[in-house]
Amino acid sequence: MPMLKILAVALGLTLGSLAVATLLTLLAWQIATRLHHPRWSWVLLLSGIGGAWLTSLGHSEFFKMAAVFGLVASGLLYFVSASAESDERPKEDLDRSITSRRSA
């Protein structure tokens, strides 16, 4: 029976910290897109994790695992935001390409 308790605690700790890291990543993405700078999302996530690490939260095992997942997510956010920004074309370039097609 103690083995099942250890397994349940470990599973809950891992899934819970993964859920928290996911929510923090989504929050950072939403804030950055509302500021019209999606490339800042990974910086916001890292600053949030760093700020919480400097407080007393850095001593719990739950926060340490969430921070590790958040660090991985910030790396992924960097690449996702870079590709999302390169996919967007400025509106003026799009208008120019449409008018040049019509005149040809």
Side-chain angles (χ1 to χ4, degrees):
M1 209 57 167
M3 190 69 148
L4 288 176
K5 182 179 177 186
I6 292 170
L7 180 67
V9 168
L11 190 63
L13 182 69
T14 304
L15 293 178
S17 60
L18 184 62
V20 166
T22 303
L23 290 174
L24 286 175
T25 304
L26 289 173
L27 179 67
W29 180 261
Q30 288 295 322
I31 290 172
T33 54
R34 287 187 186 224
L35 293 173
H36 303 290
H37 293 286
R39 296 246 357 193
W40 292 0
S41 58
W42 67 277
V43 175
L44 290 173
L45 183 60
L46 281 180
S47 63
I49 291 171
W53 192 275
L54 293 175
T55 64
S56 61
L57 291 176
H59 298 292
S60 73
E61 197 66 32
F62 179 77
F63 175 75
K64 288 178 184 176
M65 286 188 68
V68 168
F69 286 135
L71 290 174
V72 171
S74 69
L76 294 175
L77 267 180
Y78 176 77
F79 292 113
V80 168
S81 64
S83 68
E85 193 170 281
S86 67
D87 289 342
E88 296 177 0
R89 287 179 56 186
K91 186 173 176 10
E92 57 198 28
D93 289 344
L94 185 61
D95 289 341
R96 256 189 246 138
S97 67
I98 290 173
T99 56
S100 66
R101 287 184 196 155
R102 288 184 186 165
S103 63

Coordinates of all heavy atoms in Angstrom, one line a residue:
M1 N 0.8 -1.2 0.0 CA 0.0 0.0 0.0 C 0.8 1.3 0.0 O 0.5 2.2 -0.7 CB -0.9 -0.1 1.2 CG -2.2 0.7 1.0 SD -3.1 0.0 -0.4 CE -4.6 0.7 -0.2
P2 N 2.0 1.3 0.7 CA 2.8 2.5 0.7 C 3.3 2.8 -0.7 O 3.6 3.9 -1.1 CB 3.9 2.3 1.6 CG 3.4 1.2 2.5 CD 2.5 0.4 1.7
M3 N 3.6 1.7 -1.5 CA 4.1 1.9 -2.9 C 3.0 2.6 -3.7 O 3.4 3.5 -4.6 CB 4.4 0.5 -3.4 CG 5.1 0.6 -4.7 SD 6.7 1.3 -4.4 CE 7.6 0.4 -5.7
L4 N 1.7 2.3 -3.6 CA 0.7 3.0 -4.3 C 0.6 4.4 -3.9 O 0.3 5.3 -4.8 CB -0.6 2.3 -4.1 CG -0.8 0.9 -4.8 CD1 -2.1 0.3 -4.4 CD2 -0.7 1.0 -6.3
K5 N 0.8 4.7 -2.7 CA 0.8 6.1 -2.2 C 1.9 6.9 -2.8 O 1.8 8.0 -3.3 CB 0.9 6.2 -0.7 CG 0.8 7.6 -0.2 CD 0.8 7.6 1.3 CE 0.8 9.1 1.8 NZ 1.0 9.1 3.3
I6 N 3.1 6.3 -2.9 CA 4.3 7.0 -3.5 C 4.0 7.2 -5.0 O 4.3 8.3 -5.5 CB 5.5 6.1 -3.3 CG1 5.9 6.1 -1.8 CG2 6.7 6.7 -4.1 CD1 7.0 5.1 -1.5
L7 N 3.4 6.2 -5.6 CA 3.1 6.4 -7.1 C 2.1 7.4 -7.3 O 2.2 8.3 -8.2 CB 2.6 5.0 -7.6 CG 2.3 5.0 -9.1 CD1 3.5 5.2 -9.9 CD2 1.6 3.7 -9.4
A8 N 1.1 7.5 -6.5 CA 0.0 8.5 -6.6 C 0.6 9.9 -6.4 O 0.2 10.9 -7.1 CB -1.1 8.2 -5.7
V9 N 1.4 10.1 -5.4 CA 2.0 11.4 -5.1 C 2.9 11.8 -6.3 O 2.9 13.0 -6.7 CB 2.8 11.3 -3.8 CG1 3.6 12.6 -3.6 CG2 1.8 11.2 -2.6
A10 N 3.7 10.9 -6.8 CA 4.6 11.2 -7.9 C 3.9 11.6 -9.1 O 4.2 12.5 -9.8 CB 5.6 10.1 -8.1
L11 N 2.8 10.8 -9.4 CA 2.0 11.1 -10.6 C 1.3 12.4 -10.4 O 1.2 13.2 -11.4 CB 1.0 10.0 -10.8 CG 0.2 10.0 -12.1 CD1 1.2 9.8 -13.3 CD2 -0.8 8.9 -12.1
G12 N 0.7 12.7 -9.3 CA 0.0 14.0 -9.0 C 1.0 15.1 -9.1 O 0.6 16.2 -9.7
L13 N 2.2 15.0 -8.6 CA 3.2 16.0 -8.6 C 3.6 16.3 -10.1 O 3.7 17.5 -10.5 CB 4.4 15.6 -7.8 CG 5.5 16.6 -7.7 CD1 5.1 17.8 -6.8 CD2 6.7 16.0 -7.1
T14 N 3.8 15.3 -10.8 CA 4.2 15.5 -12.2 C 3.1 16.1 -13.1 O 3.4 17.1 -13.8 CB 4.7 14.2 -12.8 OG1 5.7 13.6 -12.0 CG2 5.2 14.3 -14.2
L15 N 1.9 15.5 -13.0 CA 0.8 16.1 -13.8 C 0.4 17.5 -13.4 O 0.1 18.3 -14.2 CB -0.3 15.1 -13.8 CG -0.1 13.7 -14.5 CD1 -1.3 12.9 -14.3 CD2 0.2 13.9 -15.9
G16 N 0.4 17.7 -12.1 CA 0.1 19.0 -11.6 C 1.0 20.1 -12.0 O 0.7 21.2 -12.4
S17 N 2.3 19.8 -11.9 CA 3.3 20.8 -12.3 C 3.3 21.0 -13.8 O 3.6 22.1 -14.3 CB 4.7 20.4 -11.8 OG 5.1 19.1 -12.4
L18 N 3.0 20.0 -14.6 CA 2.9 20.1 -16.0 C 1.7 21.0 -16.4 O 1.8 21.8 -17.3 CB 2.8 18.7 -16.7 CG 2.7 18.7 -18.2 CD1 4.0 19.3 -18.8 CD2 2.5 17.3 -18.7
A19 N 0.6 20.8 -15.6 CA -0.6 21.6 -15.9 C -0.3 23.1 -15.5 O -0.7 24.0 -16.3 CB -1.7 21.1 -15.1
V20 N 0.4 23.3 -14.4 CA 0.7 24.7 -14.1 C 1.7 25.4 -15.1 O 1.5 26.5 -15.5 CB 1.4 24.7 -12.6 CG1 2.0 26.1 -12.3 CG2 0.3 24.4 -11.6
A21 N 2.7 24.6 -15.5 CA 3.6 25.2 -16.6 C 2.8 25.5 -17.9 O 3.1 26.5 -18.5 CB 4.7 24.2 -16.8
T22 N 1.9 24.6 -18.2 CA 1.1 24.9 -19.4 C 0.2 26.1 -19.3 O 0.2 26.9 -20.2 CB 0.2 23.6 -19.7 OG1 1.0 22.5 -19.8 CG2 -0.6 23.9 -21.0
L23 N -0.4 26.3 -18.1 CA -1.2 27.5 -17.9 C -0.4 28.7 -17.9 O -0.8 29.8 -18.4 CB -2.0 27.3 -16.6 CG -3.1 26.3 -16.6 CD1 -3.7 26.2 -15.2 CD2 -4.2 26.7 -17.6
L24 N 0.8 28.7 -17.3 CA 1.7 29.8 -17.3 C 2.2 30.2 -18.7 O 2.3 31.3 -19.0 CB 2.9 29.6 -16.4 CG 2.7 29.6 -14.9 CD1 3.9 29.2 -14.1 CD2 2.2 31.0 -14.5
T25 N 2.4 29.2 -19.5 CA 2.8 29.4 -20.9 C 1.7 30.0 -21.7 O 1.9 31.0 -22.4 CB 3.2 28.0 -21.5 OG1 4.3 27.4 -20.7 CG2 3.7 28.2 -22.9
L26 N 0.5 29.6 -21.5 CA -0.6 30.2 -22.2 C -0.9 31.6 -21.7 O -1.2 32.5 -22.5 CB -1.9 29.3 -22.0 CG -1.9 28.0 -22.7 CD1 -3.1 27.2 -22.2 CD2 -1.9 28.2 -24.2
L27 N -0.7 31.8 -20.4 CA -0.8 33.2 -19.9 C 0.2 34.1 -20.5 O -0.1 35.3 -20.9 CB -0.7 33.2 -18.4 CG -0.9 34.5 -17.7 CD1 -2.3 35.1 -17.8 CD2 -0.5 34.4 -16.2
A28 N 1.4 33.7 -20.6 CA 2.5 34.5 -21.1 C 2.2 34.8 -22.6 O 2.4 35.9 -23.1 CB 3.9 33.8 -21.0
W29 N 1.7 33.8 -23.3 CA 1.4 34.0 -24.8 C 0.3 35.0 -24.9 O 0.3 35.9 -25.8 CB 1.0 32.6 -25.4 CG 0.7 32.7 -26.8 CD1 -0.5 32.8 -27.4 CD2 1.6 32.8 -27.9 NE1 -0.4 32.9 -28.7 CE2 0.9 32.9 -29.1 CE3 3.0 32.9 -28.0 CZ2 1.5 33.0 -30.3 CZ3 3.6 33.0 -29.2 CH2 2.8 33.0 -30.4
Q30 N -0.8 34.9 -24.1 CA -1.9 35.8 -24.2 C -1.5 37.2 -23.9 O -1.9 38.2 -24.6 CB -3.0 35.4 -23.2 CG -3.8 34.1 -23.7 CD -4.5 34.3 -25.0 OE1 -5.1 35.4 -25.2 NE2 -4.5 33.4 -25.8
I31 N -0.7 37.4 -22.9 CA -0.2 38.8 -22.5 C 0.6 39.3 -23.6 O 0.5 40.5 -24.0 CB 0.5 38.7 -21.2 CG1 -0.4 38.4 -20.0 CG2 1.3 40.0 -20.9 CD1 0.3 38.2 -18.7
A32 N 1.5 38.5 -24.2 CA 2.4 39.0 -25.2 C 1.6 39.4 -26.5 O 1.9 40.4 -27.2 CB 3.5 38.0 -25.5
T33 N 0.6 38.6 -26.9 CA -0.1 38.9 -28.1 C -1.0 40.1 -27.9 O -1.3 40.8 -28.8 CB -1.0 37.6 -28.5 OG1 -1.8 37.2 -27.4 CG2 -0.1 36.5 -29.0
R34 N -1.5 40.3 -26.7 CA -2.3 41.5 -26.4 C -1.4 42.7 -26.4 O -1.9 43.8 -26.7 CB -3.0 41.4 -25.1 CG -4.2 40.4 -25.2 CD -5.0 40.4 -23.9 NE -6.0 39.4 -24.0 CZ -7.2 39.6 -23.7 NH1 -7.7 40.7 -23.3 NH2 -8.1 38.6 -23.8
L35 N -0.2 42.6 -26.1 CA 0.8 43.7 -26.3 C 1.3 43.9 -27.7 O 2.1 44.7 -28.0 CB 1.9 43.5 -25.3 CG 1.6 43.6 -23.8 CD1 2.9 43.2 -23.0 CD2 1.1 45.0 -23.5
H36 N 0.8 43.0 -28.6 CA 1.2 43.0 -30.0 C 2.7 42.6 -30.2 O 3.3 43.1 -31.2 CB 0.9 44.3 -30.7 CG -0.6 44.6 -30.6 ND1 -1.5 43.9 -31.3 CD2 -1.2 45.5 -29.9 CE1 -2.7 44.4 -31.1 NE2 -2.6 45.4 -30.2
H37 N 3.3 41.9 -29.3 CA 4.7 41.4 -29.4 C 4.7 40.0 -29.0 O 5.2 39.7 -27.8 CB 5.6 42.3 -28.5 CG 5.7 43.7 -28.9 ND1 6.4 44.1 -30.0 CD2 5.2 44.8 -28.4 CE1 6.3 45.4 -30.1 NE2 5.6 45.9 -29.2
P38 N 4.3 39.1 -29.8 CA 4.4 37.6 -29.4 C 5.8 37.1 -29.2 O 5.9 36.1 -28.5 CB 3.7 36.9 -30.6 CG 3.7 37.9 -31.7 CD 3.8 39.2 -31.2
R39 N 6.8 37.8 -29.7 CA 8.2 37.3 -29.4 C 8.6 37.6 -28.0 O 9.6 37.0 -27.6 CB 9.2 38.1 -30.3 CG 8.9 37.8 -31.8 CD 9.9 37.0 -32.5 NE 11.2 36.6 -31.9 CZ 12.2 36.2 -32.6 NH1 12.1 36.1 -33.9 NH2 13.3 35.8 -32.0
W40 N 7.8 38.4 -27.2 CA 8.2 38.6 -25.8 C 7.6 37.5 -24.9 O 7.9 37.6 -23.7 CB 7.6 39.9 -25.4 CG 8.2 41.1 -26.0 CD1 9.2 41.2 -26.9 CD2 7.8 42.5 -25.7 NE1 9.5 42.5 -27.2 CE2 8.7 43.3 -26.5 CE3 6.9 43.1 -24.9 CZ2 8.6 44.7 -26.5 CZ3 6.8 44.5 -24.9 CH2 7.6 45.2 -25.7
S41 N 6.8 36.6 -25.4 CA 6.2 35.6 -24.6 C 7.2 34.8 -23.8 O 7.0 34.5 -22.6 CB 5.3 34.7 -25.4 OG 6.0 34.0 -26.4
W42 N 8.3 34.4 -24.4 CA 9.2 33.5 -23.7 C 10.0 34.3 -22.6 O 10.3 33.8 -21.6 CB 10.2 32.9 -24.6 CG 11.1 33.8 -25.4 CD1 10.9 34.5 -26.5 CD2 12.5 34.1 -25.0 NE1 12.0 35.2 -26.8 CE2 13.0 35.0 -25.9 CE3 13.3 33.7 -23.9 CZ2 14.3 35.5 -25.8 CZ3 14.6 34.2 -23.9 CH2 15.0 35.1 -24.8
V43 N 10.2 35.6 -22.9 CA 10.8 36.5 -21.9 C 9.9 36.7 -20.7 O 10.3 36.6 -19.5 CB 11.2 37.8 -22.5 CG1 11.7 38.8 -21.4 CG2 12.2 37.6 -23.6
L44 N 8.6 36.9 -20.9 CA 7.6 37.0 -19.9 C 7.6 35.7 -19.0 O 7.5 35.8 -17.8 CB 6.2 37.3 -20.4 CG 6.0 38.7 -21.0 CD1 4.7 38.8 -21.7 CD2 6.2 39.7 -20.0
L45 N 7.6 34.6 -19.7 CA 7.5 33.3 -18.9 C 8.8 33.1 -18.1 O 8.7 32.8 -16.9 CB 7.4 32.1 -19.9 CG 7.2 30.8 -19.3 CD1 6.0 30.7 -18.4 CD2 7.1 29.7 -20.4
L46 N 9.9 33.4 -18.7 CA 11.2 33.3 -17.9 C 11.3 34.3 -16.7 O 11.7 33.9 -15.6 CB 12.4 33.5 -18.8 CG 12.8 32.3 -19.7 CD1 14.0 32.7 -20.5 CD2 13.1 31.1 -18.8
S47 N 10.8 35.5 -16.9 CA 10.8 36.5 -15.8 C 9.8 36.1 -14.7 O 10.1 36.3 -13.6 CB 10.5 37.9 -16.4 OG 9.2 37.9 -16.9
G48 N 8.7 35.5 -15.1 CA 7.8 35.0 -14.1 C 8.3 33.9 -13.3 O 8.2 33.8 -12.0
I49 N 9.0 32.9 -13.9 CA 9.6 31.8 -13.2 C 10.8 32.3 -12.4 O 10.9 31.9 -11.2 CB 10.1 30.7 -14.2 CG1 8.9 30.1 -14.9 CG2 11.0 29.7 -13.6 CD1 9.3 29.2 -16.0
G50 N 11.6 33.2 -12.9 CA 12.7 33.7 -12.2 C 12.3 34.5 -10.9 O 12.9 34.4 -9.9
G51 N 11.2 35.3 -11.1 CA 10.7 36.1 -10.0 C 10.1 35.2 -8.9 O 10.3 35.5 -7.7
A52 N 9.4 34.1 -9.3 CA 8.9 33.2 -8.3 C 10.0 32.4 -7.6 O 9.9 32.0 -6.5 CB 7.9 32.3 -8.9
W53 N 11.1 32.1 -8.4 CA 12.2 31.4 -7.8 C 12.9 32.2 -6.7 O 13.4 31.6 -5.7 CB 13.2 31.0 -8.9 CG 14.2 30.0 -8.5 CD1 15.4 30.2 -7.9 CD2 14.1 28.6 -8.6 NE1 16.0 29.1 -7.6 CE2 15.3 28.0 -8.1 CE3 13.2 27.7 -9.2 CZ2 15.5 26.7 -8.1 CZ3 13.4 26.4 -9.2 CH2 14.5 25.9 -8.6
L54 N 13.0 33.5 -6.9 CA 13.7 34.3 -5.9 C 12.9 34.5 -4.6 O 13.4 34.8 -3.6 CB 14.0 35.7 -6.5 CG 15.0 35.7 -7.6 CD1 15.1 37.1 -8.2 CD2 16.3 35.2 -7.1
T55 N 11.6 34.2 -4.7 CA 10.8 34.2 -3.5 C 10.9 32.9 -2.8 O 11.7 32.0 -3.2 CB 9.3 34.5 -3.8 OG1 8.8 33.4 -4.6 CG2 9.1 35.8 -4.5
S56 N 10.1 32.6 -1.8 CA 10.2 31.4 -1.0 C 9.6 30.2 -1.8 O 9.7 29.1 -1.3 CB 9.6 31.5 0.3 OG 8.2 31.8 0.1
L57 N 9.1 30.4 -3.0 CA 8.5 29.3 -3.7 C 9.5 28.3 -4.2 O 9.2 27.1 -4.5 CB 7.6 29.8 -4.9 CG 6.4 30.5 -4.5 CD1 5.7 31.0 -5.8 CD2 5.4 29.7 -3.8
G58 N 10.7 28.7 -4.3 CA 11.8 27.8 -4.9 C 12.1 26.6 -4.0 O 12.9 25.8 -4.4
H59 N 11.6 26.5 -2.8 CA 11.9 25.4 -1.9 C 11.0 24.2 -2.1 O 11.4 23.1 -1.7 CB 11.9 25.9 -0.5 CG 12.8 27.0 -0.2 ND1 14.2 26.8 -0.2 CD2 12.6 28.3 0.1 CE1 14.8 27.9 0.1 NE2 13.9 28.9 0.3
S60 N 9.9 24.4 -2.7 CA 9.0 23.2 -2.9 C 9.3 22.4 -4.1 O 9.7 22.9 -5.1 CB 7.5 23.7 -2.9 OG 7.2 24.3 -4.2
E61 N 9.1 21.1 -4.0 CA 9.3 20.2 -5.1 C 8.4 20.4 -6.3 O 8.7 20.3 -7.4 CB 9.2 18.7 -4.6 CG 9.8 17.7 -5.5 CD 11.4 17.9 -5.6 OE1 12.0 18.3 -4.6 OE2 11.9 17.6 -6.7
F62 N 7.1 20.8 -5.9 CA 6.1 21.1 -6.9 C 6.6 22.3 -7.8 O 6.5 22.2 -9.0 CB 4.8 21.4 -6.3 CG 3.7 21.8 -7.2 CD1 3.1 20.8 -7.9 CD2 3.3 23.1 -7.4 CE1 2.1 21.1 -8.8 CE2 2.3 23.4 -8.3 CZ 1.7 22.4 -9.0
F63 N 7.1 23.3 -7.2 CA 7.5 24.5 -8.0 C 8.8 24.2 -8.8 O 8.9 24.7 -9.9 CB 7.8 25.7 -7.0 CG 8.3 26.8 -7.8 CD1 7.5 27.6 -8.6 CD2 9.7 27.1 -7.8 CE1 8.0 28.7 -9.4 CE2 10.2 28.2 -8.5 CZ 9.4 29.0 -9.3
K64 N 9.7 23.4 -8.2 CA 10.9 23.0 -9.0 C 10.5 22.3 -10.3 O 11.1 22.6 -11.3 CB 11.8 22.2 -8.1 CG 12.5 23.0 -7.0 CD 13.4 22.1 -6.2 CE 14.0 22.9 -5.0 NZ 14.8 22.1 -4.1
M65 N 9.6 21.4 -10.2 CA 9.2 20.6 -11.4 C 8.5 21.6 -12.4 O 8.7 21.5 -13.6 CB 8.3 19.4 -11.0 CG 9.1 18.3 -10.4 SD 8.2 16.8 -10.2 CE 7.9 16.4 -11.9
A66 N 7.6 22.4 -11.8 CA 6.9 23.4 -12.7 C 7.9 24.3 -13.4 O 7.7 24.7 -14.6 CB 5.8 24.1 -11.9
A67 N 8.9 24.7 -12.7 CA 9.9 25.6 -13.3 C 10.7 24.9 -14.4 O 11.0 25.5 -15.4 CB 10.9 26.1 -12.2
V68 N 11.0 23.6 -14.2 CA 11.7 22.9 -15.2 C 10.8 22.8 -16.5 O 11.3 23.0 -17.6 CB 12.2 21.5 -14.7 CG1 12.6 20.6 -15.9 CG2 13.2 21.7 -13.7
F69 N 9.6 22.4 -16.3 CA 8.6 22.4 -17.4 C 8.5 23.7 -18.0 O 8.4 23.9 -19.3 CB 7.3 21.8 -17.0 CG 7.3 20.3 -16.7 CD1 6.6 19.8 -15.6 CD2 7.9 19.5 -17.6 CE1 6.6 18.5 -15.4 CE2 7.9 18.1 -17.3 CZ 7.2 17.6 -16.2
G70 N 8.5 24.8 -17.2 CA 8.3 26.2 -17.8 C 9.6 26.6 -18.6 O 9.5 27.3 -19.6
L71 N 10.7 26.1 -18.1 CA 12.0 26.4 -18.9 C 12.0 25.8 -20.2 O 12.4 26.4 -21.2 CB 13.2 26.0 -18.1 CG 13.5 26.9 -16.8 CD1 14.7 26.2 -16.1 CD2 13.8 28.3 -17.2
V72 N 11.5 24.5 -20.3 CA 11.4 23.8 -21.6 C 10.3 24.5 -22.4 O 10.5 24.7 -23.7 CB 11.0 22.4 -21.3 CG1 10.7 21.7 -22.6 CG2 12.1 21.6 -20.6
A73 N 9.2 25.0 -21.8 CA 8.2 25.6 -22.6 C 8.6 27.0 -23.1 O 8.2 27.4 -24.2 CB 6.9 25.8 -21.7
S74 N 9.5 27.7 -22.4 CA 10.0 29.0 -22.8 C 10.9 28.8 -24.1 O 10.8 29.6 -25.0 CB 10.8 29.7 -21.7 OG 12.0 29.1 -21.5
G75 N 11.6 27.7 -24.1 CA 12.4 27.4 -25.3 C 11.5 27.1 -26.5 O 11.7 27.6 -27.6
L76 N 10.4 26.4 -26.3 CA 9.5 26.1 -27.3 C 8.7 27.4 -27.8 O 8.5 27.6 -29.0 CB 8.5 25.1 -26.9 CG 9.0 23.7 -26.6 CD1 7.9 22.8 -26.1 CD2 9.6 23.1 -27.9
L77 N 8.4 28.3 -26.8 CA 7.8 29.5 -27.1 C 8.6 30.4 -28.0 O 8.1 31.1 -28.8 CB 7.4 30.3 -25.8 CG 6.0 30.1 -25.3 CD1 5.9 30.9 -24.0 CD2 4.9 30.4 -26.2
Y78 N 9.9 30.4 -27.8 CA 10.8 31.2 -28.6 C 10.7 30.8 -30.1 O 10.6 31.6 -30.9 CB 12.3 31.0 -28.1 CG 13.3 31.7 -28.9 CD1 13.4 33.1 -28.8 CD2 14.0 31.0 -29.9 CE1 14.3 33.8 -29.6 CE2 15.0 31.7 -30.7 CZ 15.1 33.1 -30.5 OH 16.0 33.8 -31.3
F79 N 10.7 29.5 -30.3 CA 10.7 29.0 -31.7 C 9.3 29.2 -32.3 O 9.1 29.6 -33.5 CB 11.1 27.6 -31.8 CG 12.6 27.4 -31.6 CD1 13.0 26.7 -30.5 CD2 13.5 28.0 -32.4 CE1 14.4 26.6 -30.2 CE2 14.9 27.9 -32.1 CZ 15.3 27.2 -31.0
V80 N 8.2 29.0 -31.5 CA 6.9 29.2 -32.0 C 6.6 30.6 -32.3 O 6.0 30.9 -33.3 CB 5.8 28.6 -31.0 CG1 4.4 29.0 -31.3 CG2 5.9 27.1 -30.9
S81 N 7.0 31.5 -31.4 CA 6.8 32.9 -31.7 C 7.6 33.5 -32.9 O 7.1 34.3 -33.6 CB 7.1 33.7 -30.4 OG 8.4 33.7 -30.1
A82 N 8.7 32.9 -33.1 CA 9.5 33.3 -34.2 C 8.9 32.9 -35.5 O 8.8 33.7 -36.5 CB 10.9 32.8 -34.1
S83 N 8.3 31.7 -35.6 CA 7.7 31.3 -36.8 C 6.3 31.9 -36.9 O 5.9 32.2 -38.1 CB 7.5 29.7 -36.8 OG 6.6 29.4 -35.8
A84 N 5.6 32.3 -35.9 CA 4.3 33.0 -36.0 C 4.5 34.4 -36.5 O 3.7 34.9 -37.2 CB 3.6 33.0 -34.6
E85 N 5.6 35.0 -36.1 CA 5.9 36.4 -36.5 C 6.3 36.4 -38.0 O 6.0 37.3 -38.7 CB 6.9 37.0 -35.6 CG 7.0 38.5 -35.8 CD 7.9 39.1 -34.8 OE1 7.4 39.3 -33.6 OE2 9.1 39.4 -35.1
S86 N 7.0 35.4 -38.4 CA 7.5 35.4 -39.8 C 6.3 35.0 -40.7 O 6.4 35.3 -41.9 CB 8.6 34.4 -40.0 OG 8.2 33.1 -39.8
D87 N 5.3 34.3 -40.2 CA 4.1 34.0 -41.1 C 3.2 35.2 -41.4 O 2.5 35.2 -42.3 CB 3.3 32.9 -40.4 CG 4.0 31.6 -40.4 OD1 4.9 31.4 -41.2 OD2 3.6 30.7 -39.6
E88 N 3.3 36.2 -40.5 CA 2.5 37.4 -40.6 C 3.1 38.3 -41.6 O 4.3 38.7 -41.4 CB 2.2 38.1 -39.3 CG 1.5 37.2 -38.3 CD 1.3 38.0 -37.0 OE1 1.9 39.1 -36.9 OE2 0.7 37.4 -36.1
R89 N 2.4 38.7 -42.6 CA 2.9 39.7 -43.6 C 2.3 41.0 -43.2 O 1.1 41.1 -42.9 CB 2.6 39.3 -45.0 CG 3.4 38.2 -45.5 CD 3.0 37.8 -46.9 NE 3.1 38.9 -47.8 CZ 2.7 38.8 -49.1 NH1 2.2 37.7 -49.5 NH2 2.9 39.9 -49.9
P90 N 3.0 42.1 -43.3 CA 2.4 43.4 -43.1 C 1.3 43.7 -44.0 O 1.3 43.3 -45.2 CB 3.5 44.4 -43.2 CG 4.8 43.6 -43.1 CD 4.4 42.2 -43.5
K91 N 0.2 44.4 -43.6 CA -0.9 44.7 -44.4 C -0.6 45.5 -45.6 O -1.1 45.2 -46.7 CB -2.0 45.4 -43.6 CG -3.3 45.6 -44.3 CD -4.3 46.1 -43.4 CE -5.6 46.5 -44.0 NZ -5.9 46.1 -45.3
E92 N 0.4 46.4 -45.5 CA 0.7 47.2 -46.7 C 1.4 46.4 -47.8 O 1.2 46.7 -48.9 CB 1.6 48.4 -46.2 CG 2.8 47.9 -45.5 CD 3.5 49.0 -44.7 OE1 2.8 49.9 -44.3 OE2 4.7 49.0 -44.6
D93 N 2.2 45.4 -47.4 CA 2.8 44.6 -48.4 C 1.7 43.7 -49.1 O 1.8 43.5 -50.3 CB 3.8 43.7 -47.8 CG 5.1 44.4 -47.4 OD1 5.3 45.6 -47.8 OD2 5.9 43.8 -46.6
L94 N 0.8 43.3 -48.4 CA -0.3 42.5 -48.9 C -1.1 43.3 -49.9 O -1.5 42.9 -51.0 CB -1.2 41.9 -47.8 CG -2.3 41.0 -48.2 CD1 -1.7 39.7 -48.9 CD2 -3.1 40.6 -47.0
D95 N -1.4 44.6 -49.5 CA -2.2 45.5 -50.4 C -1.4 45.8 -51.7 O -2.0 45.8 -52.8 CB -2.5 46.8 -49.7 CG -3.5 46.6 -48.6 OD1 -4.3 45.6 -48.6 OD2 -3.6 47.5 -47.7
R96 N -0.1 45.9 -51.6 CA 0.7 46.2 -52.8 C 0.7 45.0 -53.7 O 0.7 45.2 -54.9 CB 2.2 46.5 -52.3 CG 2.5 47.9 -52.4 CD 3.9 48.2 -52.2 NE 4.1 48.9 -51.0 CZ 4.9 48.7 -50.0 NH1 5.8 47.8 -50.1 NH2 4.9 49.5 -49.0
S97 N 0.8 43.8 -53.2 CA 0.8 42.6 -54.0 C -0.6 42.4 -54.7 O -0.6 42.0 -55.8 CB 1.2 41.4 -53.2 OG 0.2 41.1 -52.3
I98 N -1.6 42.8 -54.0 CA -3.0 42.6 -54.7 C -3.1 43.6 -55.8 O -3.6 43.3 -56.9 CB -4.1 42.8 -53.6 CG1 -4.1 41.6 -52.7 CG2 -5.4 42.9 -54.3 CD1 -5.0 41.7 -51.5
T99 N -2.7 44.9 -55.5 CA -2.9 45.9 -56.6 C -2.0 45.7 -57.7 O -2.3 46.0 -58.9 CB -2.6 47.3 -56.0 OG1 -1.3 47.4 -55.4 CG2 -3.7 47.7 -55.0
S100 N -0.8 45.1 -57.5 CA 0.1 44.8 -58.6 C -0.4 43.7 -59.5 O -0.2 43.7 -60.7 CB 1.5 44.5 -58.1 OG 1.5 43.3 -57.4
R101 N -1.2 42.8 -58.9 CA -1.8 41.7 -59.7 C -2.9 42.2 -60.5 O -3.1 41.7 -61.6 CB -2.3 40.6 -58.8 CG -1.2 39.8 -58.2 CD -1.7 38.6 -57.3 NE -0.7 38.1 -56.5 CZ -1.0 37.4 -55.4 NH1 -2.2 37.3 -55.0 NH2 0.0 37.0 -54.6
R102 N -3.7 43.1 -60.0 CA -4.8 43.7 -60.7 C -4.3 44.5 -61.9 O -5.0 44.6 -63.0 CB -5.7 44.5 -59.8 CG -6.5 43.7 -58.8 CD -7.4 44.6 -58.0 NE -8.0 43.8 -57.0 CZ -8.6 44.4 -56.0 NH1 -8.7 45.7 -55.8 NH2 -9.2 43.6 -55.1
S103 N -3.3 45.3 -61.8 CA -2.8 46.1 -62.8 C -2.1 45.4 -64.0 O -2.0 45.8 -65.1 CB -1.9 47.2 -62.3 OG -0.7 46.6 -61.7
A104 N -1.7 44.1 -63.6 CA -0.9 43.4 -64.7 C -1.9 42.7 -65.6 O -3.0 42.6 -65.6 CB -0.1 42.3 -64.0

